[in-house]
């Protein structure tokens, strides 16, 4: 991926987010609670309710943005393939307008391949900091920063300091 294509994808993602109207702040908690239910259960129907079809997701596991509920299910599938019992706990949120900063704890057991690293059977517990962009009662975008170094250390792929 070159710089020009990265910038174009960022502009495209921002333009998509700007098209949506602001949502009332009282519904952000409901959207986030339904989102956590979706990612923990992997329920595609719930995913389609809470994620806009034209949502844009920036994930460190993918060089290009993922789109819509199917894009998010791709990330969930990757995580469940490596950590079948993975669960996310929403620890903290800060909301400003239609943007939510969220801190999660991700826990699971490394029982499948993760980025080429064979299953270790190790338990993991790492933090993630994500920004969510909401409109019309749905998530229209996410920028996620999971602690991948922590995951790799806990599964034995990278030595801990």
């Amino acid at each position: 991926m070159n710089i020009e294509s990265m910038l174009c994808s960022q502009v495209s993602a921002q333009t998509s987010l700007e098209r949506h109207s602001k949502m009332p702040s009282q519904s952000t908690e409901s959207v986030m609670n339904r989102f956590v239910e979706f990612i923990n259960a992997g329920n595609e129907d719930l995913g389609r309710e809470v994620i806009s079809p034209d949502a844009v997701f920036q994930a460190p596991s993918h060089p290009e943005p993922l789109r819509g509920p199917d894009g998010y299910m791709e990330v969930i599938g990757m995580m469940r393939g490596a950590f079948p019992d993975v669960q996310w706990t929403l620890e903290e949120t800060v909301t400003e307008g239609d943007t939510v900063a969220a801190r999660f704890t991700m826990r699971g057991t490394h029982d499948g391949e993760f980025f080429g690293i064979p299953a270790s059977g190790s338990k993991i517990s790492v933090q993630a900091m994500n920004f969510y962009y909401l409109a019309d009662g749905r998530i229209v975008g996410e920028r996620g920063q999971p602690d991948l170094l922590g995951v790799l250390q806990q599964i034995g792929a990278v030595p801990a300091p």
Side-chain angles (χ1 to χ4, degrees):
M1 171 181 277
N2 63 33
I3 297 287
E4 185 176 330
S5 65
M6 283 187 351
L7 290 174
C8 286
S9 86
Q10 296 299 318
V11 169
S12 172
Q14 184 63 30
T15 302
S16 173
L17 295 176
E18 289 170 353
R19 282 195 311 243
H20 297 277
S21 64
K22 294 207 180 252
M23 64 185 290
S25 61
Q26 69 269 15
S27 62
T28 59
E29 183 178 354
S30 172
V31 171
M32 292 308 295
N33 287 338
R34 288 176 29 233
F35 176 73
V36 171
E37 183 181 343
F38 155 64
I39 60 175
N40 282 330
N43 180 325
E44 290 185 46
D45 291 334
L46 184 55
R48 293 189 193 296
E49 287 177 28
V50 75
I51 296 173
S52 173
D54 58 344
V56 176
F57 300 100
Q58 307 288 332
S61 57
H62 293 73
E64 296 294 323
L66 298 166
R67 301 197 180 272
D70 291 336
Y72 215 90
M73 285 303 298
E74 186 177 326
V75 172
I76 299 289
M78 179 190 75
M79 294 306 298
R80 289 210 182 282
F83 306 93
D85 60 346
V86 69
Q87 291 289 291
W88 288 268
T89 303
L90 182 58
E91 305 287 358
E92 179 178 13
T93 61
V94 177
T95 302
E96 183 175 312
D98 59 357
T99 301
V100 178
R103 181 174 61 85
F104 289 89
T105 300
M106 180 181 80
R107 295 176 181 87
T109 309
H110 183 218
D111 285 335
E113 187 176 294
F114 185 67
F115 290 113
I117 298 142
S120 65
S122 298
K123 300 267 186 207
I124 63 152
S125 179
V126 295
Q127 299 285 302
M129 294 294 297
N130 300 349
F131 284 94
Y132 295 90
Y133 306 95
L134 311 175
D136 304 321
R138 290 175 145 180
I139 294 172
V140 297
E142 177 198 59
R143 282 191 185 277
Q145 291 298 316
D147 180 7
L148 291 178
L149 177 59
V151 172
L152 295 172
Q153 288 173 334
Q154 292 178 37
I155 65 176
V158 173

